[in-house]
Amino acid sequence: MQTSTTSATRADGPTFEKRSPVTGEPLGRFPITSPAEVDEAVARAREAFATWRETPLEERLRMLGRIKDVVEAHGEEYARRISEDTGKPLVDSLLTELMSIPLFLDHYRKTAAKVLGRKRVGTPILFPGKRSYIERFPVGVIAVIAPWNFPFQLSMIPVLSALIAGNTVVLKPSEVTPLTGEIIAEIFRRIGLPRGVVEVLQGDGTTGAALTAAAVDKIFFTGSVATGRKVMAAAAQRPIPVELELGGKDAMIVLADANLRRAARAAAWGGLVNCGQMCTSVERVLVESAVHDRFVALLDEEVAKMRVGGPDEHAEMGPLTFGKQLETIERHVKGAVEAGARILRGGERVDRPGQFYAPTIVTGVTPEMELYREETFGPVIPVIEVADADEAVRLANDHQYGLNGSVFTGDVERGLAIASRLECGQVMVNDLVASVGNPALPFGGVKNSGFGRYHGDEGLLSFTHERAIMVDRGRLDFEAFWFPYQGKYDAMAQVFHGLVGGNLPKALVGLAKLGRITSRG
Ligand code: NAD
């Protein structure tokens, strides 16, 4: 028994080319899975669902737990291949791509039974002698459509969450990072899941669109707002549920009482890690006036230390994974400068082959600029001077996106109070980004950053439907509210006024009368 993977596509079908982001050299050609092949894969996943949903949770967790052994044994080789695919430093491939998988598997191994298990809930006095439960059941075949910036993690975590919850999955990795798609297919082949439980389909937007139109039961999409709209429109045709994990323009607030050295190092890491290609990148640093110049000087010191290079050079920052992103970055920076902003550092491509852009700081950024309004998705740290914390909160919230945020302050209680005022899915106080790595915390956005949550309990619950169950022992021949209605009105009015007026004894007397009338038949 084997997982179907890219090999399921026709050998003579259309293909796309992958080039190295570091050198521009071709790295191979990959199949574009056709709509007919997508339908076949979905049909296999549908067939497998019948068995997988009945496989006990413990057994599902045990089988998926083998991924830990595979990642342990092949992790460094996978890190090299992911870095070849994306250009990101090897440290990042290990830290931000591979390491999260065992952490999530461990977390769900400990929590899944409780999260997914049947729960007893209260039953109102109106229903004497009954018990009520909520239980969960899997949604069915889940389409997971993934982006290229964290091509391993952002595919694997939704796939694993859906599988643990009893669904089968058809994954379409990004066409920008097909080498990572191969790694994922290889991992599922290695652990030997039954055929159809996970299908990995390489391909471009046409494959993604075919998957959203196929007979899947839910779509979990991570990517841009523009594609998210198309995915939601496709889902509306059937209609099926969607979850959208979209872009961000995360605000980092630096207050005057913050540890400025820490804040500067945080901004450098949060803005430049993964070459700024992160939905949770720091894309707006809002700094209180009193410390603005000092903070900027410290930030510049930190960014000056950054070394840029390919994975083999063990630099802090690699190239852009997606070459077209360079044009967006250049347009944002140029537009900002034309509108009065100042490039403190960087602001240009790096003079070497490949898709490299220099680590960049832009100061004097204002809300009218595209660099402020739109997601840049590159190694650019825009700094905005604000009068005080209130202005910082107002600006942070007055934006189309709401994914992550952070507050740097010497007063943790104040930081927490400000965190509670930020309109976004995650906030950290005196740190940033890392909360996404805690499997116990939910993750997701508001506004144009999307909706729905995964990670944490939600990561399993969102791949289930709820089923409400009420149980009666069935000993009586009747129920108080059943027919006949003849002669019941006064007793019913007593129940009504007793309950609505908060007079429980009166309601119970009415209920007993109803029961007596019904029992006489
Ligand atoms: P994208 O929207 O271009 O592509 C995402 C995926 O959608 C790819 O697999 C692509 O092939 C597929 N696709 C393209 N057209 C499609 C269609 N019509 N129907 C269905 N699928 C289609 O996004 P991207 O450039 O790969 O990723 C970058 C974006 O993702 C950024 O905006 C980033 O902020 C966002 N992102 C969000 C999160 C999050 O968790 N919120 C995480 C990472 C990235």
Side-chain angles (χ1 to χ4, degrees), residues 145-150 154 172-176 203-206 208-209 212 221-225 227-228 230-231 245-248 278-279 322 375 377 403 443 449 454:
I145 300 177
W148 47 260
N149 57 335
F150 291 94
L154 295 176
K172 195 205 83 65
S174 169
E175 65 274 35
V176 181
D204 57 11
T206 62
T212 61
F221 173 80
T222 309
S224 62
V225 179
T227 313
K230 292 184 198 165
V231 168
E245 297 288 343
L246 308 176
M278 196 161 64
C279 54
F322 185 45
E375 187 181 46
F377 227 54
L403 193 54
F443 182 83
S449 294
Y454 74 134

Short mmCIF file of all heavy atoms in Angstrom, two decimals, residues 145-150 154 172-176 203-206 208-209 212 221-225 227-228 230-231 245-248 278-279 322 375 377 403 443 449 454, ligand 1:
data_model
loop_
_atom_site.label_atom_id
_atom_site.label_comp_id
_atom_site.label_asym_id
_atom_site.label_seq_id
_atom_site.Cartn_x
_atom_site.Cartn_y
_atom_site.Cartn_z
N ILE A 145 -4.09 23.80 -0.24
CA ILE A 145 -3.35 24.52 -1.29
C ILE A 145 -2.32 25.41 -0.60
O ILE A 145 -2.69 26.22 0.27
CB ILE A 145 -4.30 25.34 -2.18
CG1 ILE A 145 -5.31 24.39 -2.84
CG2 ILE A 145 -3.52 26.12 -3.23
CD1 ILE A 145 -6.36 25.07 -3.69
N ALA A 146 -1.05 25.22 -0.96
CA ALA A 146 0.03 25.81 -0.15
C ALA A 146 0.84 26.84 -0.93
O ALA A 146 0.91 26.79 -2.16
CB ALA A 146 0.94 24.69 0.34
N PRO A 147 1.47 27.77 -0.20
CA PRO A 147 2.32 28.79 -0.84
C PRO A 147 3.78 28.34 -0.85
O PRO A 147 4.10 27.24 -0.41
CB PRO A 147 2.14 29.99 0.08
CG PRO A 147 2.04 29.36 1.44
CD PRO A 147 1.40 28.00 1.25
N TRP A 148 4.65 29.24 -1.32
CA TRP A 148 6.06 28.86 -1.49
C TRP A 148 6.98 29.36 -0.38
O TRP A 148 8.14 28.99 -0.34
CB TRP A 148 6.58 29.41 -2.83
CG TRP A 148 6.25 30.85 -3.11
CD1 TRP A 148 5.23 31.29 -3.91
CD2 TRP A 148 6.88 32.02 -2.60
NE1 TRP A 148 5.19 32.67 -3.92
CE2 TRP A 148 6.19 33.13 -3.13
CE3 TRP A 148 7.96 32.25 -1.72
CZ2 TRP A 148 6.54 34.46 -2.82
CZ3 TRP A 148 8.30 33.56 -1.42
CH2 TRP A 148 7.61 34.64 -1.96
N ASN A 149 6.48 30.22 0.51
CA ASN A 149 7.45 30.87 1.40
C ASN A 149 7.94 29.95 2.53
O ASN A 149 9.11 30.00 2.90
CB ASN A 149 6.89 32.20 1.94
CG ASN A 149 5.58 32.04 2.66
OD1 ASN A 149 4.82 31.11 2.40
ND2 ASN A 149 5.31 32.94 3.56
N PHE A 150 7.00 29.14 3.07
CA PHE A 150 7.41 28.06 3.98
C PHE A 150 6.76 26.80 3.41
O PHE A 150 5.78 26.28 3.95
CB PHE A 150 6.96 28.32 5.42
CG PHE A 150 7.69 29.47 6.04
CD1 PHE A 150 7.17 30.74 6.01
CD2 PHE A 150 8.94 29.28 6.62
CE1 PHE A 150 7.86 31.82 6.55
CE2 PHE A 150 9.64 30.34 7.17
CZ PHE A 150 9.10 31.61 7.13
N LEU A 154 4.00 24.94 5.86
CA LEU A 154 2.64 25.41 5.56
C LEU A 154 1.84 24.39 4.76
O LEU A 154 0.65 24.55 4.56
CB LEU A 154 2.67 26.76 4.84
CG LEU A 154 3.25 27.90 5.68
CD1 LEU A 154 3.33 29.18 4.86
CD2 LEU A 154 2.43 28.13 6.95
N LYS A 172 -1.91 20.41 -2.86
CA LYS A 172 -1.21 20.98 -4.02
C LYS A 172 -0.16 21.96 -3.50
O LYS A 172 -0.47 23.06 -3.05
CB LYS A 172 -2.14 21.72 -4.96
CG LYS A 172 -1.42 21.95 -6.30
CD LYS A 172 -1.91 23.11 -7.08
CE LYS A 172 -1.36 24.44 -6.69
NZ LYS A 172 0.09 24.61 -6.90
N PRO A 173 1.11 21.55 -3.56
CA PRO A 173 2.17 22.46 -3.15
C PRO A 173 2.32 23.57 -4.20
O PRO A 173 1.80 23.46 -5.30
CB PRO A 173 3.42 21.59 -3.13
CG PRO A 173 2.99 20.20 -3.43
CD PRO A 173 1.63 20.26 -4.04
N SER A 174 3.07 24.60 -3.84
CA SER A 174 3.27 25.70 -4.79
C SER A 174 4.19 25.27 -5.93
O SER A 174 5.17 24.56 -5.73
CB SER A 174 3.89 26.90 -4.07
OG SER A 174 4.31 27.86 -5.01
N GLU A 175 3.88 25.78 -7.12
CA GLU A 175 4.73 25.51 -8.29
C GLU A 175 6.07 26.22 -8.19
O GLU A 175 7.00 25.94 -8.94
CB GLU A 175 4.02 25.91 -9.58
CG GLU A 175 3.74 27.41 -9.75
CD GLU A 175 2.44 27.86 -9.09
OE1 GLU A 175 2.07 27.31 -8.02
OE2 GLU A 175 1.79 28.78 -9.64
N VAL A 176 6.17 27.17 -7.26
CA VAL A 176 7.45 27.88 -7.09
C VAL A 176 8.45 27.00 -6.34
O VAL A 176 9.66 27.17 -6.48
CB VAL A 176 7.20 29.22 -6.34
CG1 VAL A 176 8.49 30.00 -6.16
CG2 VAL A 176 6.16 30.06 -7.07
N GLY A 203 1.79 21.09 -9.57
CA GLY A 203 1.11 21.83 -10.61
C GLY A 203 1.03 23.30 -10.29
O GLY A 203 1.42 23.73 -9.20
N ASP A 204 0.50 24.07 -11.25
CA ASP A 204 0.42 25.52 -11.07
C ASP A 204 -1.00 25.93 -10.67
O ASP A 204 -1.78 25.11 -10.17
CB ASP A 204 0.87 26.22 -12.37
CG ASP A 204 0.02 25.77 -13.56
OD1 ASP A 204 -1.01 25.10 -13.35
OD2 ASP A 204 0.39 26.11 -14.71
N GLY A 205 -1.33 27.18 -10.97
CA GLY A 205 -2.66 27.67 -10.60
C GLY A 205 -3.79 26.90 -11.26
O GLY A 205 -4.88 26.80 -10.69
N THR A 206 -3.54 26.34 -12.44
CA THR A 206 -4.62 25.59 -13.10
C THR A 206 -4.93 24.32 -12.31
O THR A 206 -6.09 23.93 -12.19
CB THR A 206 -4.24 25.19 -14.56
OG1 THR A 206 -3.09 24.34 -14.53
CG2 THR A 206 -3.94 26.41 -15.41
N GLY A 208 -4.44 24.07 -9.06
CA GLY A 208 -5.11 24.57 -7.85
C GLY A 208 -6.58 24.85 -8.14
O GLY A 208 -7.46 24.45 -7.36
N ALA A 209 -6.84 25.51 -9.27
CA ALA A 209 -8.23 25.85 -9.60
C ALA A 209 -9.05 24.57 -9.81
O ALA A 209 -10.19 24.47 -9.37
CB ALA A 209 -8.26 26.72 -10.85
N THR A 212 -10.02 23.16 -6.51
CA THR A 212 -11.12 23.86 -5.82
C THR A 212 -12.47 23.55 -6.46
O THR A 212 -13.51 23.72 -5.83
CB THR A 212 -10.92 25.40 -5.83
OG1 THR A 212 -10.88 25.85 -7.18
CG2 THR A 212 -9.65 25.80 -5.12
N PHE A 221 -6.72 27.01 2.36
CA PHE A 221 -5.86 27.73 1.42
C PHE A 221 -4.91 28.68 2.16
O PHE A 221 -5.33 29.45 3.02
CB PHE A 221 -6.72 28.56 0.46
CG PHE A 221 -5.91 29.46 -0.43
CD1 PHE A 221 -5.28 28.96 -1.56
CD2 PHE A 221 -5.74 30.80 -0.12
CE1 PHE A 221 -4.50 29.78 -2.36
CE2 PHE A 221 -4.98 31.64 -0.91
CZ PHE A 221 -4.35 31.13 -2.04
N THR A 222 -3.65 28.63 1.81
CA THR A 222 -2.68 29.62 2.29
C THR A 222 -2.06 30.27 1.07
O THR A 222 -1.51 29.59 0.21
CB THR A 222 -1.57 28.96 3.13
OG1 THR A 222 -2.18 28.14 4.13
CG2 THR A 222 -0.71 30.01 3.82
N GLY A 223 -2.15 31.59 1.00
CA GLY A 223 -1.57 32.28 -0.15
C GLY A 223 -2.00 33.73 -0.17
O GLY A 223 -2.31 34.31 0.87
N SER A 224 -2.04 34.29 -1.38
CA SER A 224 -2.30 35.72 -1.50
C SER A 224 -3.80 36.02 -1.41
O SER A 224 -4.64 35.13 -1.61
CB SER A 224 -1.77 36.21 -2.85
OG SER A 224 -2.46 35.54 -3.89
N VAL A 225 -4.11 37.27 -1.15
CA VAL A 225 -5.51 37.69 -1.07
C VAL A 225 -6.20 37.47 -2.42
O VAL A 225 -7.34 36.99 -2.48
CB VAL A 225 -5.60 39.18 -0.66
CG1 VAL A 225 -7.05 39.64 -0.60
CG2 VAL A 225 -4.92 39.41 0.67
N THR A 227 -5.64 35.31 -4.85
CA THR A 227 -6.01 33.91 -5.11
C THR A 227 -7.05 33.44 -4.09
O THR A 227 -7.95 32.67 -4.43
CB THR A 227 -4.76 33.00 -5.06
OG1 THR A 227 -3.72 33.60 -5.82
CG2 THR A 227 -5.05 31.63 -5.63
N GLY A 228 -6.93 33.92 -2.86
CA GLY A 228 -7.91 33.57 -1.82
C GLY A 228 -9.33 33.90 -2.26
O GLY A 228 -10.27 33.14 -2.03
N LYS A 230 -10.42 33.98 -5.32
CA LYS A 230 -10.84 33.00 -6.34
C LYS A 230 -11.23 31.68 -5.68
O LYS A 230 -12.19 31.03 -6.06
CB LYS A 230 -9.70 32.75 -7.33
CG LYS A 230 -9.39 33.94 -8.21
CD LYS A 230 -8.31 33.56 -9.22
CE LYS A 230 -7.66 34.78 -9.81
NZ LYS A 230 -6.42 34.50 -10.50
N VAL A 231 -10.45 31.30 -4.67
CA VAL A 231 -10.71 30.02 -3.98
C VAL A 231 -12.08 30.08 -3.31
O VAL A 231 -12.88 29.15 -3.39
CB VAL A 231 -9.60 29.75 -2.95
CG1 VAL A 231 -9.97 28.61 -2.02
CG2 VAL A 231 -8.28 29.43 -3.68
N GLU A 245 -5.77 31.56 4.84
CA GLU A 245 -4.62 32.12 5.54
C GLU A 245 -3.91 33.01 4.53
O GLU A 245 -3.21 32.51 3.65
CB GLU A 245 -3.68 31.00 6.02
CG GLU A 245 -4.29 30.05 7.03
CD GLU A 245 -4.48 30.67 8.40
OE1 GLU A 245 -3.86 31.72 8.68
OE2 GLU A 245 -5.27 30.13 9.19
N LEU A 246 -4.12 34.32 4.64
CA LEU A 246 -3.66 35.22 3.58
C LEU A 246 -2.50 36.09 4.05
O LEU A 246 -1.74 35.70 4.91
CB LEU A 246 -4.85 36.04 3.09
CG LEU A 246 -6.08 35.20 2.68
CD1 LEU A 246 -7.25 36.09 2.31
CD2 LEU A 246 -5.76 34.23 1.57
N GLY A 247 -2.40 37.25 3.48
CA GLY A 247 -1.21 38.08 3.71
C GLY A 247 -1.20 38.80 5.04
O GLY A 247 -2.09 38.65 5.87
N GLY A 248 -0.17 39.62 5.21
CA GLY A 248 -0.05 40.39 6.45
C GLY A 248 0.78 41.64 6.24
O GLY A 248 1.47 41.78 5.21
N MET A 278 7.45 36.37 4.59
CA MET A 278 6.77 35.70 5.67
C MET A 278 5.46 36.46 5.88
O MET A 278 5.46 37.68 5.96
CB MET A 278 7.66 35.77 6.91
CG MET A 278 7.30 34.84 7.99
SD MET A 278 8.69 34.61 9.13
CE MET A 278 8.91 36.23 9.81
N CYS A 279 4.36 35.71 6.00
CA CYS A 279 3.10 36.41 6.24
C CYS A 279 3.16 37.15 7.56
O CYS A 279 2.46 38.13 7.76
CB CYS A 279 1.94 35.41 6.22
SG CYS A 279 2.16 34.06 7.36
N PHE A 322 10.92 33.75 -4.86
CA PHE A 322 10.07 33.98 -6.02
C PHE A 322 10.57 35.26 -6.71
O PHE A 322 10.44 36.36 -6.17
CB PHE A 322 8.63 34.14 -5.54
CG PHE A 322 7.60 34.27 -6.62
CD1 PHE A 322 7.61 33.44 -7.73
CD2 PHE A 322 6.60 35.21 -6.53
CE1 PHE A 322 6.64 33.56 -8.72
CE2 PHE A 322 5.63 35.34 -7.51
CZ PHE A 322 5.66 34.51 -8.60
N GLU A 375 1.33 44.54 1.20
CA GLU A 375 2.33 43.57 1.65
C GLU A 375 3.54 43.62 0.71
O GLU A 375 3.38 43.49 -0.51
CB GLU A 375 1.71 42.18 1.63
CG GLU A 375 2.58 41.11 2.23
CD GLU A 375 1.92 39.73 2.17
OE1 GLU A 375 1.38 39.37 1.10
OE2 GLU A 375 1.94 39.03 3.19
N PHE A 377 6.58 41.73 1.26
CA PHE A 377 7.07 40.35 1.17
C PHE A 377 8.52 40.32 0.71
O PHE A 377 8.90 39.53 -0.17
CB PHE A 377 6.17 39.54 0.23
CG PHE A 377 5.77 38.21 0.80
CD1 PHE A 377 5.16 38.12 2.05
CD2 PHE A 377 5.98 37.02 0.11
CE1 PHE A 377 4.78 36.90 2.59
CE2 PHE A 377 5.62 35.78 0.64
CZ PHE A 377 5.02 35.74 1.87
N LEU A 403 -2.82 40.17 10.84
CA LEU A 403 -2.34 38.80 11.11
C LEU A 403 -1.62 38.74 12.46
O LEU A 403 -2.12 38.20 13.42
CB LEU A 403 -1.44 38.34 9.96
CG LEU A 403 -1.10 36.85 9.93
CD1 LEU A 403 -2.34 35.98 9.97
CD2 LEU A 403 -0.29 36.50 8.68
N PHE A 443 -3.67 29.85 15.31
CA PHE A 443 -3.03 30.77 14.38
C PHE A 443 -4.01 31.12 13.25
O PHE A 443 -4.68 30.26 12.70
CB PHE A 443 -1.78 30.12 13.77
CG PHE A 443 -1.06 31.04 12.82
CD1 PHE A 443 -0.17 31.99 13.29
CD2 PHE A 443 -1.30 30.99 11.45
CE1 PHE A 443 0.47 32.87 12.43
CE2 PHE A 443 -0.67 31.86 10.58
CZ PHE A 443 0.22 32.81 11.07
N SER A 449 -6.34 39.42 6.13
CA SER A 449 -5.41 38.32 6.44
C SER A 449 -6.14 36.98 6.46
O SER A 449 -5.52 35.93 6.65
CB SER A 449 -4.72 38.56 7.77
OG SER A 449 -3.87 39.68 7.67
N TYR A 454 -5.99 27.64 12.62
CA TYR A 454 -5.44 26.29 12.80
C TYR A 454 -4.35 26.37 13.85
O TYR A 454 -4.23 27.38 14.54
CB TYR A 454 -5.04 25.65 11.48
CG TYR A 454 -3.80 26.12 10.76
CD1 TYR A 454 -2.90 25.18 10.26
CD2 TYR A 454 -3.53 27.46 10.53
CE1 TYR A 454 -1.77 25.56 9.56
CE2 TYR A 454 -2.40 27.84 9.84
CZ TYR A 454 -1.52 26.90 9.36
OH TYR A 454 -0.40 27.28 8.67
P1 NAD B 1 -0.48 32.54 -4.32
O1 NAD B 1 -1.85 32.98 -3.97
O2 NAD B 1 0.13 33.08 -5.55
O3 NAD B 1 -0.42 30.94 -4.47
C1 NAD B 1 -0.78 30.08 -3.42
C2 NAD B 1 -1.20 28.75 -4.01
O4 NAD B 1 -2.40 28.90 -4.74
C3 NAD B 1 -0.18 28.14 -4.96
O5 NAD B 1 -0.09 26.76 -4.69
C4 NAD B 1 -0.82 28.38 -6.32
O6 NAD B 1 -0.45 27.46 -7.31
C5 NAD B 1 -2.28 28.24 -5.99
N1 NAD B 1 -3.19 28.87 -6.95
C6 NAD B 1 -2.93 29.83 -7.87
N2 NAD B 1 -4.06 30.15 -8.54
C7 NAD B 1 -5.05 29.40 -8.03
C8 NAD B 1 -6.44 29.29 -8.28
N3 NAD B 1 -7.05 30.04 -9.19
N4 NAD B 1 -7.16 28.43 -7.54
C9 NAD B 1 -6.57 27.69 -6.58
N5 NAD B 1 -5.25 27.74 -6.29
C10 NAD B 1 -4.50 28.59 -7.01
O7 NAD B 1 0.38 32.84 -3.04
P2 NAD B 1 1.96 32.68 -2.89
O8 NAD B 1 2.58 33.79 -3.66
O9 NAD B 1 2.36 31.28 -3.15
O10 NAD B 1 2.18 32.93 -1.34
C11 NAD B 1 2.48 34.17 -0.80
C12 NAD B 1 1.28 34.74 -0.09
O11 NAD B 1 0.84 33.83 0.90
C13 NAD B 1 1.60 36.02 0.65
O12 NAD B 1 0.54 36.94 0.50
C14 NAD B 1 1.68 35.57 2.09
O13 NAD B 1 1.43 36.59 3.02
C15 NAD B 1 0.64 34.52 2.12
N6 NAD B 1 0.89 33.62 3.24
C16 NAD B 1 -0.02 33.59 4.27
C17 NAD B 1 0.21 32.78 5.37
C18 NAD B 1 -0.75 32.71 6.52
O14 NAD B 1 -0.68 31.75 7.26
N7 NAD B 1 -1.63 33.68 6.71
C19 NAD B 1 1.37 32.02 5.41
C20 NAD B 1 2.27 32.09 4.36
C21 NAD B 1 2.01 32.89 3.28
#
